[in-house]
Each structure stands twice: as C-alpha cells, then as structure tokens.
Amino acid sequence: DWNVTARTGSPFIKVFEEERELTVMLIVDMSGSLMFGSVDKTKQQIAAELAAILAFSAMKNNDKVGLILFTDRIEKFVPPKKGRSHGLRIIREILSFQPEGNSTNIKGALEYLNHTIKRKSIAFLVSDFIDDGYEKILNIVGKKHDLIGVVLQDPRESDIPKSGLIKFKDAETGALRYIDTSNSNVREQFYNMLNQQDALRKSIFIKSRLDSIDINTSESYVKPLANFFRKREKML
C-alpha cells in the first residue's frame, strides 16, 4: 500500500484473501418409493445420511447450506445460511421430517430451486429418480447451478425372487397388484422396464452434461462419494 508506506516510511503490505462464498443446496426426495429397503436401511434413511454428510461438509468449509424437501409438492424449504446451529437444524429436519405427500415431482422441486436461489449454488439432488418429465428443467437448472444427481437404488428393485404369486403395493399411489414372479415373461418385462428407466435417466444426465453419483443401499456409500470428490478435485 503505497499511501501508507509513504506516511510511515516503511513498507506496508496488504494481503488479500479471496472469500470463499459457496452455497450448497440439498434437494432431498421424501416420496413413498424411498421408504423401500430390502437390506439394513431404506432408501430414505440412506438419503438422510448422505444429506447429513454433505451438510457437515458445508459447515466445515464455512459454506452456506440450504434444504429443499419434496414429494409431489415442496414439503420444506430452509434458506441457505452459515453457522453450526443452522447446519444442525438442517440435519434435524432431514432426519425427523414426516412428509405429507407420497408421489414424486422432480420437475417441481427443480423449478422451485431455480426460482428461489438466485445465485449459483452447488445443488445435490438426492432421489431414486422414479419419475419422468424432468428432462427440460434439469437442463435449465444445470446451466445456472452446479447440479449433481445422487441416485439411490436398492438391489431388490432389480432382482425379484422367484416366489410365485406376490401382492405388490405401489408406495406412491397405494395401488395393489398381483404379479406371478415365477413367470419368465413377467420377469423379463419387469427387467426391461427397469433397464429402460435407468438408461433414460443416464441419457438425460449425459445430454445435460451433469454429474451423478450412484448409491446402492446394499453397499457403503463412502467409496462412491469419495471417488466423486476425488474426480472433481482433479478437474479443478
């Protein structure tokens, strides 16, 4: 600083540190399909743990963190703020919240994010992505925010046991249906449907140039999370 140096007669140096003002948004699916779990925990429990880890990470880095809980509607919105007490509030909401809706509306959740959060954020969309009609808004939001999909999958969803006639209940609509799991044609149709859904979701993310993290409820989520952030670090 030449002015201060001239007045004092000795070099005066200002050190500027760039303020790291990041906003992390957690968009967590609370719909009925996440209540399913064939191992130790449901997809919803895994979603809560993942969101809590991301919230703790934001707190540690002194970032702002906000929360959107959604089903077929916006269930809860917590505006992004800094601070330990705010971060702990976010985690309490995730772990204890009881949603009113059962269905899924990813499009509505992303539209809400886009209208509510004006500045660019790092947005984690935690869901099993059992929905459709969100391709266009995903692309729009991905251009404004750093959007990352955290995809939850349960192994039983892609591996039905051969147990004869079984009654299935749709967790989101409540519809009941009997399916003969011993019928090879029925099983093939079911697997084809799942593969098509999975391929479509992956195609949508690739077209939108967005990153995603695949989480299987039967395995530890630590490795896929760590691999993702290592990959991101190398890109910086």
Side-chain angles (χ1 to χ4, degrees):
D1 188 308
W2 293 108
N3 290 330
V4 179
T5 298
R7 290 200 306 270
T8 61
S10 59
F12 184 87
I13 301 171
K14 286 183 177 180
V15 179
F16 292 94
E17 293 185 3
E18 183 180 4
E19 186 176 356
R20 188 175 177 274
E21 185 71 15
L22 292 180
T23 298
V24 176
M25 286 301 302
L26 305 175
I27 313 157
V28 186
D29 186 350
M30 302 289 284
S31 62
S33 63
L34 268 80
M35 294 303 294
F36 180 76
S38 65
V39 194
D40 295 329
K41 298 175 182 177
T42 65
K43 288 185 287 184
Q44 190 180 78
Q45 289 172 322
I46 297 294
E49 291 182 13
L50 287 167
I53 289 171
L54 294 170
F56 271 121
S57 178
M59 289 163 55
K60 184 177 180 182
N61 291 324
N62 198 33
D63 295 329
K64 292 181 179 179
V65 58
L67 176 68
I68 297 174
L69 299 177
F70 74 97
T71 53
D72 52 2
R73 66 200 76 177
I74 301 302
E75 297 275 356
K76 185 76 176 183
F77 171 59
V78 181
K81 292 181 182 179
K82 290 183 179 181
R84 180 177 174 81
S85 60
H86 175 74
L88 293 176
R89 179 199 169 187
I90 293 278
I91 293 167
R92 283 196 303 271
E93 292 284 4
I94 295 168
L95 294 175
S96 63
F97 191 81
Q98 297 297 319
E100 294 182 3
N102 285 320
S103 302
T104 310
N105 187 352
I106 293 174
K107 179 176 178 287
L110 291 176
E111 287 176 340
Y112 188 83
L113 170 74
N114 224 27
H115 294 153
T116 307
I117 307 300
K118 301 302 182 183
R119 297 181 61 183
K120 181 176 181 179
S121 70
I122 302 173
F124 291 91
L125 175 56
V126 186
S127 175
D128 57 8
F129 289 85
I130 301 179
D131 193 17
D132 52 28
Y134 59 84
E135 180 175 0
K136 185 177 180 180
I137 188 63
L138 193 81
N139 188 44
I140 293 172
V141 172
K143 290 178 180 178
K144 179 179 178 181
H145 301 277
D146 184 2
L147 182 61
I148 301 154
V150 183
V151 186
L152 303 172
Q153 297 172 318
D154 188 281
R156 186 56 71 195
E157 291 173 321
S158 58
D159 184 21
I160 298 178
K162 295 180 181 180
S163 303
L165 198 63
I166 297 179
K167 182 170 70 172
F168 285 85
K169 180 179 180 180
D170 189 315
E172 299 197 359
T173 66
L176 297 175
R177 185 177 180 182
Y178 285 90
I179 298 177
D180 185 1
T181 59
S182 298
N183 187 312
S184 59
N185 291 331
V186 171
R187 294 170 64 84
E188 184 177 356
Q189 289 176 9
F190 180 79
Y191 293 139
N192 287 340
M193 180 190 69
L194 286 178
N195 289 333
Q196 288 173 6
Q197 287 179 346
D198 195 50
L200 178 60
R201 175 185 55 77
K202 289 178 179 178
S203 174
I204 290 172
F205 270 86
I206 290 171
K207 286 180 181 177
S208 300
R209 298 183 179 180
L210 299 176
D211 290 329
S212 63
I213 311 170
D214 291 333
I215 303 292
N216 193 308
T217 58
S218 65
E219 302 170 359
S220 171
Y221 47 70
V222 174
K223 187 175 180 179
L225 271 182
N227 288 341
F228 170 77
F229 286 114
R230 285 195 199 100
K231 180 182 175 182
R232 273 298 183 96
E233 194 174 19
K234 290 179 181 177
M235 293 170 62
L236 296 176

